């Protein structure tokens, strides 16, 4: 795609956080995941999937400013680092614009391909003061968007972290119960 990779994104994010701390400004981090990409790869092949990713990267790049960063983390995951954020709504407007530009059909090898995207958003400094915290929280918001029906954007909020912890604890407890044969099944007539 010719986009920044994870390492370059981390470097841009490190510099952006330092600048935002110095200037007392804000950043937006948007995680994007294409909702139907796996089925395109599975039905039309990875070559078509690669061509689609390249076209979508061009479309995404056209929506952001020269001061922002667009990166591809891998597979069908993209990240936008929005520098100099004025208002939270700026992220929502950009997310809507990104979703609109991606939903227009792409013609590749005689096929008209349609994709939607889910977007998770975390803000600096309120949603995390480190690269790791911002990325984790944007990713958590992305999965909340997917769970809420896909093709939408969600902002991170603290309850997402609490819910994830509860799910992890429940999964651990269920695995232990299965391993210890503590569960039994009863039918009720």
């Amino acid at each position: 795609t010719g986009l920044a990779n994870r390492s370059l994104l981390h470097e841009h994010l490190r510099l952006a956080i330092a600048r935002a701390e110095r200037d007392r400004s804000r950043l937006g981090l948007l995680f994007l995941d294409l909702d139907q990409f796996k089925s395109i790869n599975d039905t039309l092949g990875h070559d078509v999937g690669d061509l689609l990713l390249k076209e979508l990267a061009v479309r995404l790049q056209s929506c952001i400013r020269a001061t922002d960063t667009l990166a591809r983390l891998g597979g069908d995951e993209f990240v936008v680092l929005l520098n100099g954020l004025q208002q939270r709504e700026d992220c929502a407007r950009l997310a809507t614009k990104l979703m609109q530009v991606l939903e227009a059909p792409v013609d590749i090898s005689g096929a008209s391909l349609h994709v939607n995207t889910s977007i998770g958003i975390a803000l600096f400094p309120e949603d995390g003061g480190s690269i790791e915290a911002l990325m984790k929280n944007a990713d958590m918001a992305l999965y909340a968007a997917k769970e809420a029906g896909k093709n939408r954007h969600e902002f991170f909020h603290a309850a997402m972290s609490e819910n994830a912890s509860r799910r992890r604890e429940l999964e651990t407890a269920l695995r232990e119960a299965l391993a210890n044969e503590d569960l039994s099944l009863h039918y009720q007539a």
Side-chain angles (χ1 to χ4, degrees):
T1 60
L3 298 178
N5 61 13
R6 185 180 301 271
S7 295
L8 189 55
L9 173 66
H10 277 248
E11 182 60 20
H12 284 208
L13 196 47
R14 185 185 65 76
L15 294 171
I17 288 172
R19 188 171 40 253
E21 287 174 334
R22 184 183 64 242
D23 299 342
R24 294 195 172 123
S25 61
R26 299 168 78 197
L27 305 171
L29 193 64
L30 291 78
F31 268 40
L32 291 77
D33 187 77
L34 305 177
D35 294 330
Q36 295 88 5
F37 187 71
K38 183 178 179 343
S39 69
I40 291 170
N41 266 347
D42 290 348
T43 59
L44 300 174
H46 290 272
D47 290 342
V48 171
D50 290 346
L51 292 172
L52 176 62
L53 287 173
K54 287 179 183 178
E55 172 59 28
L56 297 179
V58 170
R59 289 182 183 189
L60 291 170
Q61 192 71 51
S62 74
C63 295
I64 65 170
R65 305 169 300 184
T67 56
D68 300 327
T69 300
L70 174 62
R72 180 168 167 239
L73 293 186
D76 61 343
E77 293 181 318
F78 295 89
V79 176
V80 175
L81 169 58
L82 186 59
N83 288 293
L85 182 64
Q86 298 298 315
Q87 301 174 31
R88 172 186 166 110
E89 291 75 30
D90 294 341
C91 281
R93 278 190 289 277
L94 178 60
T96 299
K97 184 178 180 180
L98 294 171
M99 290 188 310
Q100 288 171 344
V101 76
L102 292 181
E103 69 185 14
V106 179
D107 293 323
I108 297 177
S109 302
S112 182
L113 306 177
H114 298 266
V115 295
N116 293 322
T117 189
S118 298
I119 301 176
I121 304 169
L123 306 175
F124 174 86
E126 52 265 63
D127 296 332
S130 69
I131 293 171
E132 295 79 18
L134 280 173
M135 291 189 70
K136 176 181 70 86
N137 293 340
D139 196 36
M140 209 174 298
L142 168 65
Y143 282 96
K146 286 190 165 292
E147 286 178 2
K150 300 181 180 179
N151 194 32
R152 58 183 298 134
H153 68 272
E154 291 285 337
F155 282 90
F156 173 80
H157 53 83
M160 290 176 183
S161 187
E162 294 164 8
N163 291 341
S165 292
R166 269 191 244 112
R167 277 193 308 273
R168 188 177 55 251
E169 289 169 6
L170 178 60
E171 181 182 337
T172 299
L174 285 171
R175 288 182 186 278
E176 288 176 10
L178 283 171
N180 297 331
E181 297 181 3
D182 291 338
L183 298 176
S184 60
L185 181 62
H186 298 274
Y187 291 95
Q188 185 176 358

